[in-house]
Amino acid sequence: MMIEKFAEMMGVSAQAVSRWETDSAMPDISMLPSLCNIFNVSADELLGIDSAKQDEEINEICKKADEKSSRGYMKEAREILEEALKQYYTEDEDLRTLLDAERYSLFAGGKRIRPMLTLEFCRLFGGEDAAALPFACAVEMIHTYSLIHDDLPCMDDDELRRGKPCNHKVFGEGMALLAGDALLTGAFEAAATNTEAGPEISAMAVAYLAGCAGRCGMIGGQVMDVEGEGNELGLESLLKLHSLKTGALIGASCVLGALAAGVRFDDPCMV
């Protein structure tokens, strides 16, 4: 009975299904786990074959499909974000060094996890990418500015970031500092001028983002990190440090995506 149902769904004869165990032209079977769940049976019960070898093949197919799907999504999202970020830059010969310094770090090959979250949460609540992109760009600008400043000699004094010389190693400390400042202020300009989301939602997004990036968020976590250097931090302090330094901006990325889709702070899903 199961074979007949499966054959009907696949548009083939039951006889063809029964031959799949030996047929080299066996069709794509990546859907088998889902079908087994639907019928509440094992793969061998569904197809009448020895499942030991087949289950291994099914798992491998599903694993490869998931990996391909994830890579494809990440690649597509990064491309969308890269193009959106470029729109905030117009050439100005008098500011060429500053613009080059900003873009050096902003387009240095980051994973774009935070802005992807903004896009995905907007989509989750039925919103459009156009409304989420300015907020996504704002989040990435703030993240990038924080990395530039973190690498400075007065902070972590790093030489490399993502396998490349840090911003201050290429453009000097003064210009790196200004590039970070420009990215921070540019982020709020991008969020505040989000015409697709509208002025009310943009204002809410700016206020929320400022709180998550400021003394009660990312900056506060950085302060705890600086003052905790060389000291032994308790678990509670360590968790607070990371929740502020890293978690606050990640949380903001998700909230801004929901705001872009029209979700308000009094909505139960925002709790």
Side-chain angles (χ1 to χ4, degrees):
M1 182 64 178
M2 293 300 177
I3 290 180
E4 282 76 6
K5 288 183 179 180
F6 181 67
E8 182 179 354
M9 294 178 68
M10 292 296 296
V12 298
S13 68
Q15 185 179 9
V17 172
S18 65
R19 289 201 308 265
W20 283 356
E21 60 186 295
T22 57
D23 191 348
S24 60
M26 182 176 180
D28 179 10
I29 58 170
S30 61
M31 76 292 290
L32 277 179
S34 297
L35 290 170
C36 289
N37 287 333
I38 293 172
F39 293 124
N40 194 29
V41 294
S42 64
D44 57 333
E45 290 175 316
L46 182 64
L47 298 179
I49 61 177
D50 180 9
S51 64
K53 181 178 180 181
Q54 194 64 65
D55 282 348
E56 183 178 344
E57 182 179 357
I58 292 170
N59 291 334
E60 186 64 24
I61 290 174
C62 291
K63 180 180 178 181
K64 289 180 178 179
D66 288 342
E67 290 175 352
K68 183 178 180 181
S69 176
S70 297
R71 287 197 300 269
Y73 167 76
M74 299 282 279
K75 182 177 182 295
E76 178 187 7
R78 276 196 298 268
E79 290 173 352
I80 292 173
L81 291 162
E82 296 285 320
E83 288 303 312
L85 286 166
K86 290 176 183 177
Q87 302 306 311
Y88 292 99
Y89 287 90
T90 55
E91 296 303 324
D92 186 328
E93 193 60 33
D94 294 327
L95 301 175
R96 181 176 179 179
T97 305
L98 174 64
L99 295 171
D100 286 346
E102 288 183 56
R103 288 180 293 214
Y104 177 80
S105 294
L106 191 59
F107 298 102
K111 296 181 289 296
R112 309 296 194 202
I113 296 298
R114 291 160 184 81
M116 283 185 192
L117 285 172
T118 304
L119 281 180
E120 198 57 36
F121 268 77
C122 181
R123 294 169 178 174
L124 178 65
F125 291 106
E128 299 294 332
D129 286 1
L133 280 171
F135 295 159
C137 290
V139 167
E140 188 67 2
M141 289 177 185
I142 290 178
H143 175 57
T144 303
Y145 117 78
S146 73
L147 299 182
I148 294 175
H149 283 191
D150 272 354
D151 292 337
L152 289 170
C154 63
M155 294 287 284
D156 293 343
D157 193 18
D158 286 323
E159 295 189 359
L160 295 175
R161 169 70 66 178
R162 295 168 179 159
K164 298 170 60 177
C166 292
N167 197 291
H168 68 274
K169 290 294 182 180
V170 178
F171 298 95
E173 289 182 39
M175 192 57 64
L177 181 67
L178 292 170
D181 292 343
L183 283 165
L184 175 60
T185 52
F188 290 111
E189 180 181 10
T193 57
N194 186 348
T195 56
E196 293 292 333
E200 183 181 359
I201 290 177
S202 294
M204 289 190 290
V206 167
Y208 191 84
L209 185 57
C212 292
R215 70 174 67 91
C216 295
M218 184 180 70
I219 294 298
Q222 289 175 320
V223 169
M224 292 182 66
D225 193 12
V226 169
E227 293 187 336
E229 189 171 352
N231 300 319
E232 184 174 340
L233 296 177
L235 177 60
E236 185 175 342
S237 294
L238 188 62
L239 291 174
K240 182 178 180 180
L241 187 161
H242 288 297
S243 69
L244 295 177
K245 183 178 179 179
T246 304
L249 193 58
I250 291 177
S253 304
C254 303
V255 170
L256 263 61
L259 287 174
V263 180
R264 301 305 179 99
F265 284 113
D266 59 359
D267 191 291
C269 69
M270 285 288 203
V271 176

